[in-house]
């Protein structure tokens, strides 16, 4: 079967660092994506990992361990506009599989 | 086009009516995906196309749902005899190809918001 597990909600302070964890089980794994989704809007691409290790992209970094079925998204220097849902999505032979996502609230 | 384009952006329909939702992918993208997102829920996979064929339609919830793609470009998702539980935002996405490296990122359109009354 396929299963993605992320915390439902997280809260952090402006300027801080937050790590959003994701564990997954899927067959035919072919990379893992992270998306950001603001309320009422479409998901926007943040990062992609296909090999183990850390991918850094400005304030956002994403890590993957394929053997552990584990990924995290690291957000640095949090800004109020980072308040959104963050979606972990492993790719299964073509299609992305989404969990419920993590709603992050950034407070002043 | 510059991005994935969907129409209509909003649709209110009466229960029992048929609806068609259209998706125009990014130019040159061979893979096209349909997802559904109900209020407060995650994205639910419906179907994906590689070219004009659909290798995976496992997510279509019932035989009232169908999709086609012609000319390797525009796709139409059709919902027959709509029910209230069909109310959701229907998101279309596209990528250069369904597998491969980071160049095959999946980009989403703004969605078609469907309300069945």
């Amino acid at each position: 079967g396929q299963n993605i597990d992320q915390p439902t909600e997280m809260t952090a302070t402006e300027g801080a660092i937050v790590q959003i964890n994701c564990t997954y089980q899927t067959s035919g794994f072919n990379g893992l994506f992270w998306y950001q989704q603001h309320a009422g809007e479409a998901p926007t691409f943040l990062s992609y990992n296909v090999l183990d290790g850390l991918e850094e992209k400005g304030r956002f970094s994403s890590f993957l361990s394929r053997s552990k079925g584990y990924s995290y998204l690291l957000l640095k220097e949090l800004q109020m506009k980072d308040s959104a849902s963050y979606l972990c999505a492993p790719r299964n032979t073509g299609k992305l599989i989404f969990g419920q996502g993590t709603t992050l609230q950034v407070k002043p | 086009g510059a991005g994935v384009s969907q129409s209509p952006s909003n649709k209110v329909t009466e229960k029992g009516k048929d609806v068609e939702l259209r998706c125009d992918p990014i130019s040159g993208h061979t893979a096209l995906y349909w997802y559904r997102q109900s209020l407060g829920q995650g994205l639910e996979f419906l179907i994906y196309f590689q070219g004009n064929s659909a290798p995976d339609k496992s997510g279509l919830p019932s035989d009232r749902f169908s999709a086609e793609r012609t000319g390797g470009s525009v796709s139409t998702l059709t919902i027959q005899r709509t029910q209230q539980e069909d109310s959701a935002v229907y998101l279309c996405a596209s990528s250069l190809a369904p597998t491969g490296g980071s160049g095959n990122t999946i980009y989403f359109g703004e969605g078609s918001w469907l309300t069945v009354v």
Side-chain angles (χ1 to χ4, degrees):
Chain A
Q2 298 166 133
N3 188 53
I4 296 102
D5 194 26
Q6 301 177 236
T8 305
E9 295 180 345
M10 297 183 72
T11 303
T13 305
E14 192 176 14
I17 299 172
V18 70
Q19 178 174 314
I20 302 174
N21 295 322
C22 171
T23 57
Y24 64 89
Q25 292 177 322
T26 184
S27 56
F29 179 80
N30 187 30
L32 187 143
F33 290 80
W34 283 92
Y35 284 83
Q36 180 191 61
Q37 187 177 28
H38 286 99
E41 298 182 10
T44 55
F45 168 76
L46 289 178
S47 70
Y48 172 76
N49 296 70
V50 65
L51 299 175
D52 290 353
L54 188 68
E55 292 284 339
E56 297 188 78
K57 202 173 181 183
R59 293 191 300 116
F60 297 86
S61 303
S62 57
F63 172 83
L64 176 68
S65 169
R66 290 170 295 170
S67 62
K68 295 182 179 178
Y70 169 69
S71 175
Y72 69 71
L73 180 70
L74 194 71
L75 293 80
K76 303 175 186 175
E77 301 168 14
L78 281 173
Q79 302 175 9
M80 297 301 290
K81 67 178 182 180
D82 297 330
S83 293
S85 289
Y86 291 86
L87 313 178
C88 167
R91 176 137 64 180
N92 174 329
T93 54
K95 64 182 184 277
L96 295 184
I97 305 299
F98 289 89
Q100 296 297 310
T102 299
T103 301
L104 173 66
Q105 185 179 16
V106 180
K107 295 186 174 179
Chain B
V4 179
S5 177
Q6 293 187 245
S7 62
S9 54
N10 283 284
K11 175 74 175 179
V12 180
T13 191
E14 291 182 351
K15 179 181 172 181
K17 301 282 190 183
D18 298 352
V19 296
E20 283 190 354
L21 307 176
R22 176 189 166 106
C23 173
D24 200 345
I26 293 172
S27 179
H29 281 195
T30 64
L32 185 147
Y33 311 79
W34 284 99
Y35 286 83
R36 176 170 74 171
Q37 189 173 31
S38 300
L39 193 63
Q41 300 298 310
L43 277 75
E44 176 189 3
F45 169 77
L46 298 177
I47 186 171
Y48 99 84
F49 290 89
Q50 174 58 30
N52 292 334
S53 64
D56 190 341
K57 53 180 79 172
S58 62
L60 294 176
S62 74
D63 58 8
R64 295 188 295 106
F65 288 73
S66 63
E68 65 175 13
R69 188 180 187 195
T70 55
S73 181
V74 171
S75 175
T76 302
L77 177 69
T78 301
I79 309 172
Q80 296 178 310
R81 306 181 301 281
T82 51
Q83 303 295 312
Q84 288 185 329
E85 60 263 30
D86 300 334
S87 296
V89 58
Y90 289 82
L91 290 160
C92 178
S94 71
S95 68
L96 282 171
T99 59
S102 60
N104 293 323
T105 298
I106 296 177
Y107 297 95
F108 284 85
E110 293 299 313
S112 291
W113 294 76
L114 175 66
T115 303
V116 182
V117 297

